[in-house]
Amino acid sequence: MIDMNSEKGKLIMVMGPPASGKSTLAAEVHTELKKKGINSAFVSEAATDYIAEYGVPNSPSDQMVIFYKQLNREKMFLESKDYIICDSSSILNYFYFRSLFGYELSNKDIASINHIQKEILKHINTIDMVFYVPPIDTDTNDGIRFHQGDEIKKLGVLIKSYLEMENITHQDLTTVDMKDRVNHIIKSILK
């Protein structure tokens, strides 16, 4: 449980669709912070571990488990680190979760969707900065999962739209050259 009287670490999210380079970017930001002697933690994507252990998630319950695993990872270092750099976000899990439901939703489906959305909205207030990274590849196959280019682009649009719709303050790195993104993020978070 987080002690609200203690100094909370800054939770930094690098968000984007698969094949956007978010994992590499977040890891590089964390490495550069460590080189500067800054007390930071790198939080990897829970979905990758889940897929490696159990296979591709194909049910709402799989996505719910991944969501809570990611959420717990994000909160784990809030009292012990100054910066927590996340290569993903529990928010991203919503898009995978939501895609598993057909057009005809049962009351149980609606309750599940409402629950995860409520949890995301409660968690948004703990996030200090979000950096949106657009896709860079057309298809991706990282040995664990495969995504086609059209699906990646669609996810990118949905993620960006969600950030805007929910008024989540974020920096869009689309116009920031890839080689400058690490320094851009570090300058932004150390202001």
Side-chain angles (χ1 to χ4, degrees):
M1 180 148 230
I2 298 171
D3 177 5
M4 294 311 221
N5 296 322
S6 70
E7 187 69 28
K8 175 183 100 58
K10 294 197 181 302
L11 193 56
I12 312 299
M13 301 291 178
V14 178
M15 290 180 61
S20 60
K22 64 185 176 296
S23 299
T24 303
L25 181 58
E28 289 176 359
V29 168
H30 166 67
T31 299
E32 289 303 313
L33 289 172
K34 292 303 258 184
K35 286 180 183 177
K36 293 178 181 295
I38 295 171
N39 183 21
S40 71
F42 172 71
V43 175
S44 62
E45 185 178 22
T48 301
D49 297 343
Y50 186 90
I51 292 167
E53 188 170 356
Y54 302 109
V56 176
N58 57 9
S59 73
S61 62
D62 289 339
Q63 290 295 343
M64 193 72 81
V65 168
I66 295 169
F67 170 76
Y68 279 109
K69 283 181 176 288
Q70 187 69 39
L71 189 63
N72 289 335
R73 286 181 181 192
E74 292 168 12
K75 293 178 177 181
M76 184 173 18
F77 298 107
L78 284 175
E79 290 186 46
S80 63
K81 299 292 182 180
D82 296 328
Y83 293 92
I84 301 96
I85 312 300
C86 301
D87 94 341
S88 188
S89 168
S90 51
I91 295 171
L92 292 180
N93 186 252
Y94 175 78
F95 301 101
Y96 293 105
F97 178 82
R98 186 63 180 91
S99 71
L100 294 171
F101 293 94
Y103 292 104
E104 302 237 357
L105 298 174
S106 70
N107 286 339
K108 189 186 249 186
D109 297 338
I110 293 167
S112 296
I113 291 167
N114 286 341
H115 175 76
I116 200 168
Q117 175 67 351
K118 177 182 158 190
E119 291 299 307
I120 287 170
L121 293 175
K122 284 183 353 188
H123 181 51
I124 283 173
N125 293 331
T126 65
I127 300 170
D128 293 283
M129 296 186 94
V130 174
F131 295 90
Y132 171 77
V133 186
I136 55 175
D137 292 336
T138 53
D139 291 338
T140 187
N141 185 350
D142 62 8
I144 293 180
R145 57 192 158 186
F146 177 78
H147 295 282
Q148 294 182 335
D150 290 343
E151 179 185 354
I152 292 169
K153 288 177 190 168
K154 181 180 176 183
L155 279 169
V157 169
L158 291 173
I159 292 163
K160 184 87 171 80
S161 298
Y162 184 86
L163 292 170
E164 292 167 0
M165 182 180 71
E166 294 297 343
N167 291 317
I168 300 170
T169 302
H170 63 281
Q171 290 186 34
D172 185 344
L173 300 181
T174 301
T175 60
V176 178
D177 193 276
M178 286 180 66
K179 66 179 176 35
D180 298 327
R181 288 179 180 173
V182 171
N183 287 333
H184 178 88
I185 291 174
I186 288 173
K187 284 179 186 174
S188 295
I189 65 178
L190 295 180
K191 281 185 181 177

